[in-house]
């Protein structure tokens, strides 16, 4: 009897993960990618190529936000959804992360170009003037709007869910990145790019987990990192290919080692429960009004 109860408590939130996977994968794979595979000519003639400017592609990219918001609404009603949305408001003590993320991510993008040059690998010639580059960089904020849905869905729910399950941000980040990589697996042009894409997301998700735990689960910091990272290719620093993917993976590994060392030292004497932002507890951690019928962990 005790064993059954323990197993039930352990899996109490699994239904939310299944709901997330069903909706996000269902929208992107079944309603968008599959029609383009089966009825390519018709879909292209009606909606255009499945690229970043295609409205269906934007729906697919943002599809993870739909089950995430629905999950918080189911979990805690309007109060639960409101509490989650309030986690998007940066706390004063978290603002220092903004210049750190901007500078480190920009440094990574520039480093990719010079590492490629160092190993005599192809890089495009930079033809933009400084003012043009600034305009392109700032406009990329709108170009990366798909990251909003990904950030909200995967790092607003999936990462906190796996952190509750594993009590470890490295395992949770790896599982989050794996799931994210698999979601967009069919959109890559070849198997090598697909596999490297998944590995990139796994390592990057582990890296970003350290930051998101430190900022109370605010996924806007993930979006900020992706906004800067996504600008590298558009600024002509490099062209996205397998060589770039490998260099980025190596840089993410270095970043992981640094973050792991810093936060292991910083959190040495803190209990796991204080460090990790877990689902659904983290939306209750800022003294929001609680509904007497909603109990954290129940």
């Amino acid at each position: 009897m005790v064993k059954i109860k323990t197993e039930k408590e352990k899996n109490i939130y699994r239904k939310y993960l299944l709901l997330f996977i069903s909706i996000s994968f269902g929208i992107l794979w079944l309603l968008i990618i599959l029609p383009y595979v089966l009825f390519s000519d018709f879909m292209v003639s009606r909606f255009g190529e499945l690229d970043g400017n295609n409205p269906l592609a934007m729906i697919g990219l943002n599809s993870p936000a739909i089950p995430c918001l629905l999950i918080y609404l189911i979990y805690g009603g309007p109060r639960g959804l409101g509490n989650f949305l309030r986690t998007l408001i940066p706390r004063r003590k978290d603002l220092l992360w903004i210049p750190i993320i901007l500078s480190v991510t920009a440094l990574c993008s520039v480093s990719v170009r010079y590492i490629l040059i160092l190993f005599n690998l192809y890089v495009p010639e930079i033809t933009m003037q400084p003012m043009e580059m600034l305009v392109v960089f700032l406009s990329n904020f709108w170009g990366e709007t798909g990251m909003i849905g990904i950030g909200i869905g995967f790092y607003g729910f999936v990462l906190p869910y796996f952190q509750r399950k594993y009590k470890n941000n490295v395992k949770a980040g790896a599982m989050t990145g794996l799931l994210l990589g698999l979601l967009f697996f069919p959109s890559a042009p070849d198997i090598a790019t697909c596999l490297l894409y998944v590995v990139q997301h796994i390592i990057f998700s582990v890296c970003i987990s350290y930051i998101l735990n430190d900022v109370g689960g605010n996924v806007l910091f993930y979006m900020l990192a992706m906004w800067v990272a996504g600008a590298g290719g558009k600024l002509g620093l490099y062209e996205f290919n397998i060589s770039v993917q490998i260099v980025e993976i190596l840089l993410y590994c270095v970043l992981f080692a640094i973050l792991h060392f810093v936060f292991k030292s910083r959190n040495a004497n803190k209990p796991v429960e204080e460090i990790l932002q877990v689902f659904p507890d983290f939306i209750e951690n800022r003294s929001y009004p609680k509904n007497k019928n909603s109990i954290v962990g129940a």
Side-chain angles (χ1 to χ4, degrees):
M1 192 70 179
V2 174
K3 183 178 180 180
I4 295 175
K5 182 179 178 180
T6 303
E7 187 67 21
K8 183 178 179 180
E9 290 175 349
K10 181 179 178 181
N11 299 327
I12 192 169
Y13 294 120
R14 183 180 293 176
K15 60 185 179 184
Y16 293 128
L17 180 65
L18 296 177
L19 178 64
F20 178 87
I21 293 173
S22 300
I23 295 178
S24 57
F25 279 73
I27 291 175
L28 184 61
W29 286 26
L30 299 181
L31 300 183
I32 299 176
I33 292 179
L34 186 60
Y36 264 90
V37 172
L38 298 179
F39 313 106
S40 178
D41 293 339
F42 173 81
M43 295 298 291
V44 171
S45 66
R46 293 295 187 277
F47 302 102
E49 295 290 341
L50 198 58
D51 55 26
N53 298 318
N54 189 312
L56 290 181
M58 294 307 300
I59 293 173
L61 286 171
N62 285 286
S63 62
I66 298 173
C68 175
L69 298 177
L70 180 60
I71 285 167
Y72 283 107
L73 187 61
I74 294 173
Y75 158 73
R79 183 201 61 83
L81 179 59
N83 282 2
F84 171 70
L85 295 177
R86 289 187 187 95
T87 65
L88 303 179
I89 302 173
R91 300 172 301 187
R92 181 178 298 179
K93 67 178 183 178
D94 300 329
L95 296 180
L96 181 61
W97 274 112
I98 294 178
I100 295 175
I101 290 173
L102 288 173
S103 57
V104 170
T105 314
L107 179 62
C108 284
S109 294
V110 173
S111 297
V112 169
R113 178 178 178 84
Y114 286 101
I115 290 173
L116 292 173
I117 293 174
L118 180 63
F119 287 94
N120 201 28
L121 297 170
Y122 170 76
V123 293
E125 182 181 352
I126 297 178
T127 58
M128 293 184 189
Q129 298 299 316
M131 189 55 67
E132 286 182 275
M133 296 181 76
L134 178 61
V135 171
V136 170
F137 176 75
L138 294 176
S139 65
N140 192 54
F141 178 81
W142 306 109
E144 296 293 335
T145 52
M147 295 299 104
I148 296 175
I150 293 173
I152 289 175
F154 280 89
Y155 300 99
F157 165 69
V158 178
L159 178 65
Y161 170 85
F162 281 126
Q163 289 194 148
R164 182 185 190 90
K165 178 178 177 64
Y166 295 116
K167 302 293 187 292
N168 182 293
N169 73 294
V170 176
K171 290 182 180 180
M175 287 299 297
T176 302
L178 175 62
L179 200 60
L180 175 53
L182 291 178
L183 178 65
F184 296 104
F185 199 86
S187 63
D190 55 73
I191 189 65
T193 301
C194 285
L195 294 175
L196 289 172
Y197 189 70
V198 173
V199 173
Q200 280 180 282
H201 278 295
I202 288 175
I203 302 174
F204 184 80
S205 293
V206 173
C207 291
I208 204 68
S209 71
Y210 288 99
I211 299 173
L212 294 185
N213 282 320
D214 198 61
V215 299
N218 188 335
V219 298
L220 291 181
F221 289 87
Y222 160 81
M223 298 177 200
L224 184 64
M226 293 307 300
W227 172 48
V228 180
K234 295 178 182 177
L235 290 173
L237 298 179
Y238 48 79
E239 290 183 3
F240 189 75
N241 54 36
I242 288 179
S243 297
V244 170
Q245 286 183 285
I246 293 173
V247 172
E248 288 183 338
I249 288 172
L250 293 176
L251 289 174
Y252 291 159
C253 287
V254 173
L255 183 59
F256 160 69
I258 295 172
L259 288 169
H260 185 72
F261 173 78
V262 169
F263 280 96
K264 185 175 182 179
S265 301
R266 183 176 175 180
N267 298 323
N269 298 319
K270 294 181 181 178
V272 173
E273 293 76 12
E274 186 179 334
I275 299 170
L276 300 181
Q277 304 297 317
V278 303
F279 173 84
D281 306 45
F282 82 101
I283 67 168
E284 310 282 7
N285 286 343
R286 298 192 185 186
S287 300
Y288 302 136
K290 290 186 173 66
N291 185 322
K292 66 180 181 180
N293 294 323
S294 180
I295 302 173
V296 177

